[in-house]
Amino acid sequence: VQLQASGGGLVQAGGSLRLSCAASGGTFTTRGLGWFRQAPGQEREFVAAINWNGSIRSYADSVKGRFTISRDNAKSTLYLQMNSLKPEDTAVYYCAGRSGQSSSRDPDSYIHWGQGTLVTVSS
């Protein structure tokens, strides 16, 4: 499965962005999916995850209540709606897919990764 993330950009603090991750070349609907991010000089961290049918979603404490993960299996696309953005949300955001149906916070459990899209939040 190939994943292509898009939707990043420059936004002021308090603003919103929606990231998209389009899948191709394999089975999308039966996979757990996630978003991770990596800020300069920092390790990659978990942001949000969703199981195969969207019934189970989990979030990092730092984004809970501000970000929403969703998926459209008919379009083979994963989304991350980001509201009330803060400068500390600045990072490269990656979408990822697992081999199984469940979601996970562990990046090592993901086998497919997109190329990343840069989100910059100015203060």
Side-chain angles (χ1 to χ4, degrees):
V1 175
Q2 289 77 48
L3 302 174
Q4 180 76 32
S6 62
L10 175 64
V11 63
Q12 289 189 332
S16 298
L17 281 175
R18 189 176 81 155
L19 305 184
S20 298
C21 177
S24 61
T27 303
F28 176 88
T29 58
T30 59
R31 298 181 185 273
L33 303 169
W35 288 99
F36 295 80
R37 67 186 182 186
Q38 187 168 19
Q42 298 187 22
E43 294 185 353
R44 190 171 298 189
E45 65 173 358
F46 168 76
V47 175
I50 188 168
N51 72 332
W52 71 281
N53 65 356
S55 62
I56 300 174
R57 311 180 194 196
S58 60
Y59 299 93
D61 288 344
S62 59
V63 307
K64 198 172 296 182
R66 300 187 297 120
F67 290 11
T68 301
I69 188 172
S70 62
R71 64 190 295 164
D72 185 337
N73 284 345
K75 297 182 179 179
S76 295
T77 303
L78 173 71
Y79 302 101
L80 185 68
Q81 178 65 44
M82 305 186 296
N83 299 329
S84 302
L85 282 161
K86 304 175 181 180
E88 52 263 44
D89 294 319
T90 295
V92 177
Y93 284 71
Y94 298 89
C95 56
R98 309 183 73 226
S99 59
Q101 296 182 345
S102 62
S103 60
S104 174
R105 295 170 175 254
D106 180 5
D108 291 337
S109 71
Y110 288 78
I111 59 172
H112 303 288
W113 290 86
Q115 86 289 358
T117 185
L118 177 62
V119 173
T120 303
V121 184
S122 63
S123 57

